[in-house]
Amino acid sequence: MRYCIGVDMGGTATKIGLFTEEGTLLSKTEIPTRVALGLDTMFTDIAESVKGLCAQNNISLEDCAVGMGVAGPVDRNGYVEGLVNLNMYNLYPARELSKRLGDIPVAIGNDANMAALGELWLGGGRNCSSMLFVTLGTGVGGGIILDGKIWGGSNGAGGELGHMIVNPEEAEIVKIIFQKFVNGGMGTQSISNYLNQHGYEKKKNRKHELNYFSRGLIKNILDNPVYIGKIAYGKSKTEKVKGTRD
């Protein structure tokens, strides 16, 4: 019999659960995430806790695979540019954990995306094909599911809801874009034509910037559905968010 181990690596605590392949929880534990002691200590703590959980339930580690969620965007290759809450940058977390567990399979994704998939599978989203999932922990996160699949956007950050300024007027336009795309069956060119013909104007932040909606802009907004307002429309300056690296 095969088993699954879920690891939620949070900024304050790391939660670990042992499951059957059908999703039945067999056992769980929680350990502090010792951020101040660095990468090696954090991943070693997790590996030792996973081994202990398996031993307590008389389960061989070789019969397990791990699914891991981390608080940051994850690209298709498992690369993470930055985990701000953990003060870790430019790493492959799944590789770090796998090599401490005898190279058993470890899959990784954004923690809120993983939670959203869990809710879709066995939780509140079981009867839904599309849903928005919001997490409130050390930080704010989100997972977007469209037609049964995670919508990660062009760089894995599509569901990142935290650290963002929302312009209500521009957010309303993004809402219209998604309504036309999802419910109206319109493509990017048709949506841009609709907005331009109905008097909607793109906010102009730079001197030579166009103030109408192009097909490319519509595509970028659809690729990053929560990057609305200043982020989706372009901004003339950056803004430092307290507690972040950049």
Side-chain angles (χ1 to χ4, degrees), residues 81-153:
E81 183 175 352
L83 298 175
V84 176
N85 288 345
L86 301 177
N87 194 30
M88 292 193 294
Y89 303 94
N90 303 311
L91 73 156
Y92 291 85
R95 297 180 188 177
E96 293 292 341
L97 184 57
S98 180
K99 70 183 182 182
R100 291 170 171 81
L101 292 172
D103 295 319
I104 67 172
V106 177
I108 187 171
N110 172 265
D111 53 1
N113 287 348
M114 299 300 97
L117 286 173
E119 287 295 322
L120 185 72
W121 180 31
L122 293 173
R126 275 182 291 184
N127 298 318
C128 302
S129 60
S130 300
M131 58 176 277
L132 170 65
F133 183 84
V134 179
T135 63
L136 297 174
T138 305
V140 179
I144 299 170
I145 293 178
L146 294 177
D147 295 327
K149 298 179 180 179
I150 282 290
W151 189 287

Side-chain angles (χ1 to χ4, degrees), residues 81-246:
E81 183 175 352
L83 298 175
V84 176
N85 288 345
L86 301 177
N87 194 30
M88 292 193 294
Y89 303 94
N90 303 311
L91 73 156
Y92 291 85
R95 297 180 188 177
E96 293 292 341
L97 184 57
S98 180
K99 70 183 182 182
R100 291 170 171 81
L101 292 172
D103 295 319
I104 67 172
V106 177
I108 187 171
N110 172 265
D111 53 1
N113 287 348
M114 299 300 97
L117 286 173
E119 287 295 322
L120 185 72
W121 180 31
L122 293 173
R126 275 182 291 184
N127 298 318
C128 302
S129 60
S130 300
M131 58 176 277
L132 170 65
F133 183 84
V134 179
T135 63
L136 297 174
T138 305
V140 179
I144 299 170
I145 293 178
L146 294 177
D147 295 327
K149 298 179 180 179
I150 282 290
W151 189 287
S154 60
N155 58 6
E160 291 294 335
L161 297 170
H163 305 305
M164 183 166 48
I165 299 170
V166 176
N167 182 311
E169 180 181 342
E170 293 175 347
E172 181 61 28
I173 294 176
V174 173
K175 179 181 177 181
I176 293 171
I177 291 171
F178 269 84
Q179 287 176 337
K180 297 298 181 184
F181 180 74
V182 177
N183 300 322
M186 295 172 66
T188 53
Q189 187 62 61
S190 296
I191 295 172
S192 66
N193 290 342
Y194 173 88
L195 294 173
N196 294 326
Q197 291 168 7
H198 285 77
Y200 294 99
E201 286 193 7
K202 171 185 171 292
K203 184 177 179 181
K204 190 174 180 180
N205 293 308
R206 298 177 181 86
K207 183 177 180 181
H208 300 293
E209 192 174 47
L210 300 175
N211 64 348
Y212 63 85
F213 292 89
S214 66
R215 177 184 179 185
L217 175 60
I218 301 300
K219 182 181 184 302
N220 287 338
I221 294 172
L222 290 170
D223 279 345
N224 292 280
V226 299
Y227 277 8
I228 57 179
K230 291 184 178 180
I231 299 177
Y233 287 77
K235 51 196 292 189
S236 57
K237 63 179 182 178
T238 57
E239 297 176 14
K240 178 71 172 68
V241 178
K242 184 178 180 181
T244 64
R245 182 185 180 206
D246 299 321

